[in-house]
Amino acid sequence: MEPGPAWPRFVGRADALQRLDATLAAAARAHGCTVLVEGEAGIGKTRLVSELSGRAQRAGATVLRGRCIDLVGSGMSYLPLVEALWPLRGSPAVMGCSLPELSRLVPELTETTAAVGGPDSRLRLFEETLALMEHLGAEAPVVLVVEDLHWADRSTLDLVSFLAHAARERRLLLVATYRSDELTPDSSLRRLVGELLRARAATTLELEPLGRDEVAQLLAETAEAPVPAELANEIYERSQGNPFFAEELLAAAVRGEQTLPRGLRDVLLQRLDGLDGESRALLRIAAAAGRDVPYRLLAAVAGLPEERLVEALRETVEYDVLVPDQMAGSFRFRHSLLAEAVYATLLPGEREELHERLARALRAEPATAAELAHHWSAAGKPVEALHASIEAGLNAQAVSGPAEALRHFDRALELWEQVEDPESAAGHELGAVLARAAEVAYFAGAGQRAPELLRQAISLADDDAELGLMYERLGTYLLPIGDRDGARAAFERAVELVPEQPPSAERARVLSALANALSLSWRPLDSRTVCEQALMVAAAIGDDLPALRALAILGLDLQLLGRGAEGVECLLDARRRAVKRGAVVEELRTYVVLSDVHLIGGRLREAAQDALEGVAKSRRYGYERSSGIVIASNAAEALLGLGDWARAEEVLDAALHLASSFRPEGVHLIRAELELRRGEYAVTLQHLEAGAPAALEPQLTAAYSCLVAELALWERRPEDAASVLDAALRLDATGDVKIREPRLCALAIQAETDRAQLAAIRRDTAGVDDARRRAKYLLERARHSAADVAAVTLDAAGWLAIAEAEHTRVEGCSQPALWEAASKAWDQLERPYPAAYCRWRHAEALVAAGASRAEAAVPAREAHLVASRLGARPLMNELELLARRAHLDLADQPALRDQDDALGLTAREREVLRLLARGYTNREIAAELTISIKTTSVHVSHILRKLGVSSRLEAARIAHQLAASPED
């Protein structure tokens, strides 16, 4: 067959191409990136990436292209990846690159398996895709183009997100196109784009309509001859600069069609006016097929003699409706909108009959079950659709496409009632299908859907042992959605159903699950008892594997019961056993729990060391998107507490870039705390909203409440802070362990102090008395709880010291000695931020007590130095306000000396750096030096360049070091 028409010479888009060329050059230097090309239908996205692909190939890059297609509601996992990789089959470029998961995507490369993939198979698929990109990009960049992302299945979107985050520091340029006019407010793609942009993992390239001259040039290139100015202007006005519309209008004008449609659909349908009946019939088949249609499929469904079939196809090609792919031996619509328009013309009855013919023909093709399920369903054939839907669900699950698998299983369940003997047609019992659907719903993050489906499966089961394991799964599904009570009840029911005798692995498993739920509810006494039962069962059967989870949880219970050293030994034993058995999931669990144990105990250095090791192992094992997220959260929490905010930010960024749905609340809470300390309140609120589900987690409720309250306090809303903390304290009183209570009380006393001060300003005596009464009660509660948990956490002493000192503030006589003691307590715990806070209050108390400026300046200066190093802007501001009010010298150091001009700083730049080191904004520097903000910005940019740093914080740190260095 003759090839389709060639593209006209590329017109316009100079800026877009220049930007893409720059990204390609950066990718060649191992600075990969992701560009999201957006624009309305027909605006020229495909033409742009085709031009980029040609340039990249000529530059020696490997170009892979795949497209998402609309199967009118059907879901096909990773379809663009399959299309992109298809040309590589048998290629020397992939010799020696082992890609078992990828090969399973392409039935022609290896026998399709319906075996259920494990929970990590999806991660392996992603990692192996990235490994292939790295393999192909060893010497030259890889350009991966994914077109029409608005039709992508959920799994493809997840893969795009993964690759976008991974493209950095690799020779990979990922370019994805999508229609901006098809992004609904609740679409998965809109959320993906937003997340990638917020994470700075991608940039957008919006294609605007072509200008009048560009449209005229495009028309001339398309027609291969000058187009009359009058016609060019008319087409420009009617097309409004849309290249596809313009080309269609020009084609219609060349054919002499006088009456042209006003909308795109009418234009597209009118393009078919010159086709005969057989050609139109072929287009209807191609539109219903919903994908690139192989010649043999068209022949099988059309039933035309070969000569007439070829002639009809030639006519569609000549009319630029279908475009042949010589390599694949298939045809596709010139634009997907053409397929949509044609499909819309199918009449009821005609549509069903056509889908049935396609389904019957596809049974002889290497078609996926997803295609068959779609066509049988659209054909109104429930028996065939039921069987194909289940097969499609199994296949999608096998390649870790849980969202698509759930869609297929849901369709099968809808069809179940329409079939006379569904179990025979499906080849599976209803309970098994429901359980399978529940499993994929869980991994797809479908919230309530998983327990809902599993409860239906439970209602059909009659074997106690089977029911017990199903209840264990039910509890597992309920935990992530915050239903702790329901999960615990499910685990308790599982324990009831799985018999005690004879001892079994199943018994150990359900006991371990119950212990985990009890521990998460902070009931360590009950949890320890159940853990010990699970360990006894494991000993009885001579297999410790089913109870390794219980052994790890026992370590946490012992920490919560004040036996931390024993708990650590218990966890290290669990880790050794897990490594010996090759139990990766259980080994990683010990990193989660042991870092938890160290955090609870206040041993932040040990927590950071263990968690960072766990993060590296989770990445190595391919679990960085699941347990690795939780371990990363613990690592960041420890680093933040130790004052290594830059490292904490790196860990948090890496975790958030993974865009995992596996319990990301902890990561968002730690990021909220970091941004709160920096004074980025809007960003803090965003992360608090993302971490709101943490309020349902007993072990995170107090942390969440403290952050919400601290934000309210910094924003001068003490009543709101007091209300939040009061609710948290009431809830905390219901648990067995109250390790967070001293912190809650200390913060609540601060809120009462602020309330009392506001009441005093308003001359509200009753309000002052109420705040003091409340603060006195909170101090007593802090003393009792600190004594109770002193053996559990070292932090208790620090928070009690703050509570004691804060109480003197509410009484109107802040005691410097108590604040000094509090700062030393936090120094011993290696917590620079709370120590700096206490030194601020210490300085404030000294000023109020009439101490000398020199004496008050000492703690203020120390606090300011720490706050500057950390970038704790709100604390810096308060210290600077105090310094101005009390005339304290925060610097206690000479200005940057002239000999430091070896750095290349001018005198003015040294002045700017001095103020920058004190935390001044550009506006404040400009006001201080009587220069413009723009001039200040230029000075700051020059300073950063000359010092070889990228942030104001790094520049401030250098300034402090220079000022503190001895004179020559």
Side-chain angles (χ1 to χ4, degrees), residues 3 83 121 125 163 189 201 306 314 367 496 538 563 582 595 627 634 671 674 690 710 768 771 774 813 843:
E83 182 179 2
S121 59
L125 172 64
L163 292 176
L189 178 56
E306 184 174 3
R314 188 182 305 279
E496 291 175 4
R563 297 161 58 183
S595 55
S627 55
N634 287 351
R671 189 55 185 262
L674 175 60
E710 283 190 56
V768 172
R774 177 69 179 162
C813 54

Side-chain angles (χ1 to χ4, degrees), residues 716 718-719 753-764 768:
R716 307 295 190 264
E719 290 287 351
T753 301
D754 289 358
R755 285 184 62 222
Q757 291 174 349
L758 285 175
I761 292 171
R762 296 167 183 156
R763 300 183 180 181
D764 178 6
V768 172

Side-chain angles (χ1 to χ4, degrees), residues 376-387:
W376 284 126
S377 180
K381 298 291 182 180
V383 174
E384 294 85 349
L386 174 59
H387 178 79

Side-chain angles (χ1 to χ4, degrees), residues 746-824:
L747 202 57
I749 295 173
Q750 181 184 347
E752 296 304 328
T753 301
D754 289 358
R755 285 184 62 222
Q757 291 174 349
L758 285 175
I761 292 171
R762 296 167 183 156
R763 300 183 180 181
D764 178 6
T765 305
V768 172
D769 291 342
D770 180 67
R772 289 177 174 174
R773 176 189 58 77
R774 177 69 179 162
K776 183 177 181 181
Y777 158 76
L778 289 166
L779 179 59
E780 288 301 315
R781 186 166 174 178
R783 289 168 176 168
H784 283 100
S785 60
D788 289 343
V789 301
V792 178
T793 176
L794 298 172
D795 290 0
W799 290 117
L800 178 59
I802 288 183
E804 296 280 5
E806 286 285 2
H807 185 258
T808 65
R809 288 182 63 229
V810 78
E811 293 294 335
C813 54
S814 186
Q815 296 295 315
L818 290 179
W819 284 113
E820 183 178 17
S823 62
K824 290 180 178 178

